[in-house]
């Protein structure tokens, strides 16, 4: 009888499910941990965010309050001794002052007449291009277009450049017409220096100019385009030139102010 036996002759029992669980290794436990510095930093960030939110709410409230509050009007008088407040919200704070609606008056009409006459008849080659633009700015748009067409037809400004003119305007009389408060009479002398006709040397011409500016109120009120006067030029009336004795011609060229 043979005594040899194989491993299959004696089968071993398989482990049960309970035994499998008993022998499975346990997963290592990880505990939640945060450093003290991290906690303090988060607290500071939370406090800063809260303060920022409160400041934002307060600033929005202040802006809303200022936006709904009526603006205060402060009238300041400027003198050689300094500035001083003379009225606040229409109530005088200094004796001898009265506050009312701002309306252009006779002084503003004279100011516009002086300003326009200066840019029209003072000729400085260094600023002439800018001055010509201001000539039309002071005018009512429709009249400015017509005046520009007249200057182009006569070649006035082209002749200025060709003859290298320089001129000085001296205002003598600027007064509002008593019969028509929208008319301002202007009288002045125009001293013109230009290249002589033969091209040799320079010639001077003195002229007396007399004209009347017919004004209208600017619907924009006081603005830079009307020299903050509230008026525009609507027409030029009764223009007259009178020749005046001229100084002797000179061969030396005039000196342009630097």
């Amino acid at each position: 009888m043979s005594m040899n036996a194989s491993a299959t002759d004696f089968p071993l029992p398989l482990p049960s499910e309970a035994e499998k669980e008993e022998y499975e290794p346990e997963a290592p436990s990880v505990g939640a941990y945060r450093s003290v510095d991290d906690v303090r930093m988060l607290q500071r960030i939370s406090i800063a965010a809260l303060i920022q939110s409160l400041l934002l709410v307060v600033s929005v409230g202040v802006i809303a309050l200022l936006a709904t509050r009526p603006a205060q009007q402060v009238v300041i008088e400027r003198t050689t001794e300094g500035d001083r407040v003379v009225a606040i919200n229409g109530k005088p704070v200094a004796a001898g002052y009265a506050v009312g609606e701002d309306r252009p008056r006779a002084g503003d009409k004279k100011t516009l007449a002086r300003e326009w006459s200066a840019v029209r008849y003072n000729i400085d080659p260094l600023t002439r291009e800018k001055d010509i633009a201001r000539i039309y700015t002071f005018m009512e748009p429709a009249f400015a277009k017509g005046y520009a067409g007249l200057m182009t037809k006569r070649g006035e400004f082209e002749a200025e450049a060709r003859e290298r003119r320089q001129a000085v305007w001296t205002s003598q009389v600027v007064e509002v017409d008593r019969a028509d408060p929208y008319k301002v009479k202007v009288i002045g002398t125009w001293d013109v220096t230009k290249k002589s006709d033969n091209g040799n040397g320079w010639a001077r011409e003195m002229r007396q100019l007399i004209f009347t500016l017919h004004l209208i109120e600017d619907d924009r009120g006081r603005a830079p385009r009307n020299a903050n006067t509230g008026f525009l030029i609507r027409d030029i009336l009764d223009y007259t030139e009178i020749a005046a004795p001229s100084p002797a011609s000179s061969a030396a060229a005039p000196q342009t102010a630097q």
Side-chain angles (χ1 to χ4, degrees), residues 18-40:
E19 291 176 341
K20 288 182 179 180
E21 293 178 356
E22 180 179 356
Y23 288 103
E24 285 181 356
E26 295 182 356
S29 61
V30 179
Y33 172 79
R34 188 179 295 276
S35 68
V36 177
D37 292 337
D38 289 345
V39 174
R40 290 176 178 174

Side-chain angles (χ1 to χ4, degrees), residues 169-190:
W169 166 258
T170 304
S171 179
Q172 295 173 312
V173 175
V174 178
E175 60 182 13
V176 178
D177 193 324
R178 294 182 180 180
D180 188 341
Y182 286 92
K183 293 181 179 180
V184 181
K185 186 175 184 179
V186 179
I187 301 175
T189 57
W190 195 23

